[in-house]
Amino acid sequence: MSRPLVWPALLAALMAAVVSPTAPLTAQATTHPPRPTLVVLLTVDQFREDYLARFGHQFTGGLARLLKGGARFANAHHDHAITETAPGHASLLSGRFPRSTGIMMNSIGVEDDDAPLLAGGYGPGASPRRFQGSTLVDWMQDADRNTRVLSVSMKDRGAILPVGRARTNVYWYSIDGRFLTSRYYRRDLPDWVRDFNARGNVARYAGRSWELLLPDSAYRERDSVSIEMGGRHYTFPHTLTDDVMDAGSDIRITPFIDDITVDFALAGVEALGLGRGPTTDVLAVSLSATDVIGHNYGPDSREIHDQVLRVDRNIGRFLDSLYTLRDSSRITVVFTSDHGVGSIPELAPDSVQPFPRRVSVRPLMRELRARLRERGVDTQAVALDVNLLLANRNAFRSDGQRDEIIEWFASRVRELPGMARVDRFTTLMRDTVSSEVARRWAHQFPYPSNLELVFTLDKLSTWGGNIASHGSPWPYDSQVPIIFAGAGITPGHHTQFVRTVDIAPTLADLLGVKVGEKIDGVPLPITGARANAPR
């Protein structure tokens, strides 16, 4: 997305305002069961919580195992407003909302020209330089410097942000078919990564078709919805090109990229000796295919149905392999997601009102800049980032002049079809007790800051771009699964409202390690008396 040249300066001002949480963590337990030797964070990008109910009767693999033997929190949410990959991943092991991690949007995520990919990899440089504060990894390494860590994903931000600023084993996928890292972490690739890449992993899938896992009768969804994939290749089977270089890119929109990611994670466990004890190590695996498939086919598609079933089988294969390598009684697993997704707006039933739309504020920016010019204000004094308006307040003659112009623009945006609310960030902060939407915006950005307006769309309306999208504060984007299973976990079904920021302090409490700073999350009840019987 193109932005005016003023954007970096306004963005820097917003970043400078990042704040620490105001509430300390509740007191931690003083007694603990034997410590796990491995904590596994399994994140499936864009995995809605309701997928567990919709498709659970067809699970036979890892998700079936976690649902049966884990502590499931069925009303878990990312309690922030911009439900995207970067802020979601950054919150999981930090226990903090985006307003204090500094990772408030994908656009201020991990891209870093000063940290290029190693070995001539394809893609931008990346690092956690914008991430602020600590994570569970830091707290564990403060307690035991021998703690080993591995974080992997197809996406750079999916691999980097769960472990914060730690200079550790962090790897992601390059479209030439290799897993690589950046100069932030290493000067060259270790032998085990080179060996894995030398296998020709993508070549094994080139020319292969993604076909239905189950018989056609097992799927209720139509397989001829032409809006999917922009009208291209929207019916099964989906066949990869036999050109290995092209397949390296195209494989990202198939379940096969998750297969390779799982294989890479298992290779890393063995090579790095994770989970052998006596220390507790951390393995973070973020599977990205569901997100790419969901964006292109939508959450109501036959493709997402089949992909969720394949996630179940793939996690089962991962756990079976991991438990062969290591003692399963000493492994704790957490399953979650970074955000959900909304249905394709054009496919919404007529009963959904207001009917969903694709919305853009950008056409109104010409009017805003004209008004600035009329008032003698630098036309670059404001910047729009999809659903935000920032301002250089020093460019206005007075607060009154700024307020007049901003309020006029807010009234114009409110007239757009598909717009649920337009808020001044300063006044929105007064509404956080009574409004879930206001509370989530307050968790997204620091206050005070140079953020003037935030825009919230009607439910299922989107900002365009992707065929199906996410990024809103509404439940279909915020609600995600949280399941703890394995060592130290009492199985059960919990229905109270919880947040993804509660994952980190829960694990810290389980491990008996001290949280290194004030955080937003609190420990969840995963040990002791059994909760409601699993459903």
Side-chain angles (χ1 to χ4, degrees):
M1 177 180 57
S2 60
R3 299 189 178 92
L5 294 177
V6 70
W7 176 256
L10 294 178
L11 184 59
L14 181 62
M15 291 289 293
V18 169
V19 295
S20 298
T22 56
L25 179 68
T26 58
Q28 299 176 13
T30 56
T31 60
H32 299 274
R35 288 165 58 96
T37 56
L38 183 63
V39 170
V40 180
L41 174 68
L42 276 176
T43 307
V44 178
D45 202 316
Q46 202 189 109
F47 195 100
R48 290 168 47 140
E49 207 282 337
D50 66 349
Y51 288 166
L52 298 177
R54 284 168 58 187
F55 309 125
H57 64 288
Q58 294 173 327
F59 292 167
T60 61
L63 293 180
R65 186 180 308 176
L66 294 174
L67 285 168
K68 181 178 180 181
R72 176 187 176 188
F73 292 85
N75 190 20
H77 294 259
H78 282 282
D79 204 23
H80 53 254
I82 300 180
T83 42
E84 293 180 333
T85 297
H89 277 83
S91 293
L92 295 177
L93 292 185
S94 69
R96 292 175 291 122
F97 295 125
R99 66 184 178 193
S100 71
T101 65
I103 308 298
M104 294 169 275
M105 301 175 286
N106 280 348
S107 58
I108 44 177
V110 299
E111 193 165 329
D112 183 357
D113 292 339
D114 293 329
L117 289 178
L118 300 185
Y122 289 80
S127 81
R129 294 188 195 278
R130 294 185 186 90
F131 184 93
Q132 300 186 30
S134 61
T135 71
L136 177 71
V137 167
D138 301 298
W139 314 334
M140 292 173 65
Q141 291 183 332
D142 286 344
D144 187 340
R145 60 187 179 87
N146 294 316
T147 293
R148 293 160 292 198
V149 180
L150 172 64
S151 185
V152 304
S153 178
M154 183 196 84
K155 296 184 180 181
D156 49 8
R157 52 189 178 266
I160 291 170
L161 293 171
V163 298
R165 299 180 67 89
R167 294 181 185 266
T168 188
N169 300 289
V170 178
Y171 299 94
W172 57 94
Y173 180 77
S174 168
I175 60 170
D176 61 5
R178 296 178 295 164
F179 277 86
L180 302 175
T181 191
S182 77
R183 191 65 56 83
Y184 176 89
Y185 297 101
R186 306 182 61 93
R187 308 303 292 183
D188 52 26
L189 294 175
D191 289 343
W192 74 269
V193 175
R194 293 179 184 274
D195 291 345
F196 182 87
N197 289 335
R199 296 181 190 175
N201 297 286
V202 171
R204 293 188 290 119
Y205 293 95
R208 183 171 165 183
S209 292
W210 170 19
E211 300 182 352
L212 291 174
L213 185 67
L214 301 180
D216 182 85
S217 58
Y219 302 83
R220 295 182 177 180
E221 304 83 5
R222 290 189 298 128
D223 191 30
S224 57
V225 182
S226 60
I227 194 171
E228 296 173 2
M229 273 294 289
R232 302 173 297 109
H233 312 302
Y234 55 86
T235 59
F236 277 98
H238 303 290
T239 304
L240 276 178
T241 175
D242 55 8
D243 182 285
V244 175
M245 285 302 296
D246 288 343
S249 177
D250 295 346
I251 197 172
R252 296 174 299 171
I253 197 170
T254 74
F256 306 144
I257 189 63
D258 285 349
D259 297 344
I260 297 175
T261 304
V262 164
D263 290 343
F264 182 75
L266 290 169
V269 167
E270 188 67 357
L272 299 172
L274 267 64
R276 286 181 177 160
T279 62
T280 303
D281 300 324
V282 177
L283 171 63
V285 181
S286 179
L287 301 178
S288 307
T290 308
D291 181 73
V292 186
I293 294 167
H295 275 307
N296 284 280
Y297 295 95
D300 308 303
S301 64
R302 179 170 289 202
E303 282 78 6
I304 209 68
H305 183 164
D306 195 72
Q307 165 61 10
V308 170
L309 300 184
R310 290 176 181 274
V311 167
D312 166 62
R313 278 35 165 205
N314 221 342
I315 292 177
R317 179 174 70 88
F318 167 76
L319 294 176
D320 287 341
S321 299
L322 184 63
Y323 295 161
T324 298
L325 296 172
R326 303 290 182 262
D327 181 357
S328 63
S329 69
R330 302 296 301 278
I331 298 174
T332 301
V333 177
V334 186
F335 172 74
T336 190
S337 180
D338 55 345
H339 55 74
V341 65
S343 297
I344 297 174
E346 292 81 358
L347 300 183
D350 292 339
S351 59
V352 176
Q353 294 295 327
F355 195 78
R357 298 172 178 270
R358 297 184 184 270
V359 183
S360 175
V361 177
R362 188 161 298 280
L364 296 180
M365 287 300 289
R366 182 176 299 176
E367 295 181 32
L368 176 57
R369 298 201 190 282
R371 198 170 187 91
L372 290 169
R373 191 178 300 110
E374 291 171 1
R375 300 294 195 273
V377 181
D378 183 354
T379 59
Q380 298 300 306
V382 296
L384 176 73
D385 186 339
V386 186
N387 52 353
L388 312 171
L389 187 78
L390 295 92
N392 174 8
R393 294 173 180 173
N394 294 327
F396 297 85
R397 288 196 301 272
S398 66
D399 289 346
Q401 183 192 50
R402 185 188 77 246
D403 287 344
E404 182 270 326
I405 294 173
I406 296 299
E407 287 295 345
W408 169 83
F409 185 67
S411 68
R412 292 287 291 118
V413 176
R414 290 188 185 101
E415 296 172 357
L416 291 174
M419 191 66 60
R421 55 188 289 174
V422 177
D423 292 285
R424 293 293 297 269
F425 193 60
T426 51
T427 57
L428 175 143
M429 298 295 291
R430 305 169 193 164
D431 194 26
T432 56
V433 174
S434 59
S435 169
E436 178 180 82
V437 170
R439 182 184 75 239
R440 289 179 174 173
W441 279 115
H443 290 166
Q444 192 75 38
F445 295 104
Y447 178 83
S449 71
N450 61 331
L451 179 59
E452 293 290 346
L453 296 175
V454 297
F455 313 131
T456 305
L457 297 181
D458 292 331
K459 292 180 180 179
L460 295 182
S461 287
T462 79
W463 295 105
N466 292 307
I467 293 165
S469 197
H470 52 83
S472 81
W474 301 119
Y476 54 80
D477 280 343
S478 70
Q479 190 170 9
V480 296
I482 294 181
I483 304 175
F484 295 85
I489 308 301
T490 301
H493 186 96
H494 304 261
T495 57
Q496 71 269 35
F497 174 81
V498 302
R499 298 87 47 84
T500 52
V501 293
D502 298 329
I503 292 173
T506 302
L507 291 173
D509 190 59
L510 176 71
L511 300 175
V513 299
K514 181 180 179 181
V515 174
E517 61 180 311
K518 290 181 178 180
I519 63 175
D520 296 299
V522 297
L524 299 176
I526 57 171
T527 61
R530 186 180 180 89
N532 301 333
R535 298 176 183 175

